[in-house]
Amino acid sequence: MQKIIVTGSNGLIGSNFVRTYQDKYEIIPFDLSGTPSVDITNEENLRQKLTENRDALAVVHLAAFTNVSAAHEQQGDKNGPAYQVNVVGTRNLARACADLDLYLVHISTAYVFNGDKPSLYFEDDVPSPIEWYGETKALAEKEVLASGARSVILRIDQPFSAEKFAKVDTVHRIIDGLNNQSLYPQFANHYFGPTYIEDFSKVIEFFIRTQKTGLFHATSGEKWSDYDFAVAIQALLDLPGKVKKGDLDEYLKTLKRPYQRNTAMNNDKLKEVLDFQLKTIQQALTEVKV
């Protein structure tokens, strides 16, 4: 089997990808908790491990500091974990991949945008992050491009899985809230573009197979309000409880960090190259295990 190096292999997306493709590829985890341990922020350590596995078909870079609120507390701190993992770690990885001619699949986010656009974001829309997490991920994209590595950048938004994971995703958070009658009001004036992880793992594998390069939005291509998304989950999964409408503008009065109003992205460019069809969000929700 051909080797695939995966950073963040124990995370929400990484664990799904590994589980799905461990019988097709030899998965080499590059994580602090792995054996051997790999620290992507340590350039020497990372290069040594990559050199030992330079026959790998691809490097899938899923490791990231993704806690937006915690990242905001580190605003401007280049020594903080958000910058170190997202920017320095990505720079180290991309430069090493360029030197070793390893194909890099880099995962990014819709949070590189400011959220002011009322319609779907396209790949040629200029990133303009408004908080530290989004800024570090936008800088990471620049590092990938500047490295000259053979690479693809895949932007996603609010990933969810059919399976419940230790880090509860947006769908299972809503399910738990409805079942426990503790679901707080859902914004009717905030919008996002959910990413179905089972599909996204297939997207990653498609790029590994084809070695295509460029920048692609790899979400569902749909735009949902939090409220409509929760209503759909309740209806499709026949859940108890009540979904109440919330107001983003009122919430923003209590929030210390900036908050994007819309992160939904168009995925037409991706659909033009894929050799399989992505599920709609409603189709994906019917596969979610309650």
Side-chain angles (χ1 to χ4, degrees):
M1 292 191 292
Q2 291 177 295
K3 292 180 182 177
I4 303 295
I5 296 167
V6 181
T7 73
S9 63
N10 294 322
L12 178 64
I13 299 171
S15 59
N16 181 279
F17 177 81
V18 170
R19 184 170 63 249
T20 304
Y21 291 106
Q22 61 188 352
D23 293 332
K24 182 173 181 178
Y25 300 105
E26 180 186 354
I27 306 294
I28 310 295
F30 269 32
D31 298 299
L32 283 172
S33 60
T35 306
S37 176
V38 180
D39 180 2
I40 64 171
T41 67
N42 183 321
E43 186 175 12
E44 183 179 353
N45 171 247
L46 177 62
R47 278 186 175 264
Q48 177 189 342
K49 299 306 179 186
L50 282 172
T51 301
E52 292 171 2
N53 293 280
R54 64 186 308 165
D55 58 336
L57 180 59
V59 177
V60 179
H61 184 30
L62 287 160
F65 189 100
T66 59
N67 187 320
V68 180
S69 295
H72 181 65
E73 298 299 320
Q74 303 164 38
Q75 183 73 37
D77 182 6
K78 293 187 176 181
N79 293 315
Y83 187 91
Q84 286 294 307
V85 173
N86 294 351
V87 183
V88 175
T90 300
R91 177 193 304 151
N92 292 340
L93 191 64
R95 290 178 177 179
C97 283
D99 291 343
L100 297 170
D101 192 29
L102 284 164
Y103 176 71
L104 175 63
V105 181
H106 174 67
I107 313 306
S108 191
T109 174
Y111 281 58
V112 300
F113 298 116
N114 60 22
D116 290 342
K117 186 178 180 180
S119 56
L120 299 175
Y121 281 97
F122 286 80
E123 285 84 352
D124 57 3
D125 284 319
V126 179
S128 52
I130 58 173
E131 36 70 38
W132 192 232
Y133 167 67
E135 188 170 344
T136 61
K137 292 297 287 183
L139 289 169
E141 290 187 4
K142 290 181 178 179
E143 293 290 352
V144 172
L145 296 173
S147 72
R150 291 187 298 117
S151 63
V152 64
I153 296 172
L154 303 176
R155 290 179 181 148
I156 61 173
D157 188 25
Q158 298 293 328
F160 72 93
S161 174
E163 305 282 346
K164 192 170 185 178
F165 189 69
K167 180 183 178 182
V168 180
D169 60 41
T170 183
V171 168
H172 288 91
R173 174 184 55 77
I174 291 170
I175 291 172
D176 290 346
L178 287 169
N179 282 331
N180 299 329
Q181 297 185 354
S182 61
L183 184 67
Y184 49 81
Q186 300 295 295
F187 301 134
N189 53 348
H190 169 261
Y191 305 93
F192 66 104
T195 305
Y196 186 40
I197 292 174
E198 278 71 5
D199 263 3
F200 184 57
S201 287
K202 292 172 65 178
V203 170
I204 293 173
E205 200 271 337
F206 166 82
F207 282 98
I208 290 171
R209 284 190 285 112
T210 62
Q211 305 274 296
K212 290 183 181 293
T213 59
L215 168 66
F216 295 86
H217 288 170
T219 66
S220 60
E222 301 178 22
K223 180 183 177 184
W224 287 79
S225 72
D226 299 36
Y227 175 77
D228 288 338
F229 193 57
V231 168
I233 290 170
Q234 182 180 44
L236 289 167
L237 300 180
D238 193 25
L239 297 172
K242 181 176 177 59
V243 180
K244 299 178 182 178
K245 284 187 178 181
D247 183 3
L248 176 62
D249 294 318
E250 287 300 313
Y251 178 67
L252 288 176
K253 295 176 182 178
T254 69
L255 196 64
K256 294 181 180 180
R257 68 168 176 85
Y259 198 100
Q260 296 86 345
R261 189 173 294 276
N262 172 39
T263 51
M265 299 184 291
N266 178 284
N267 70 354
D268 287 347
K269 182 180 176 182
L270 176 71
K271 291 192 292 186
E272 286 178 3
V273 301
L274 289 181
D275 56 9
F276 66 93
Q277 189 170 352
L278 296 170
K279 291 182 174 66
T280 66
I281 289 302
Q282 288 201 324
Q283 288 171 334
L285 289 175
T286 62
E287 298 182 355
V288 171
K289 295 178 175 60
V290 180

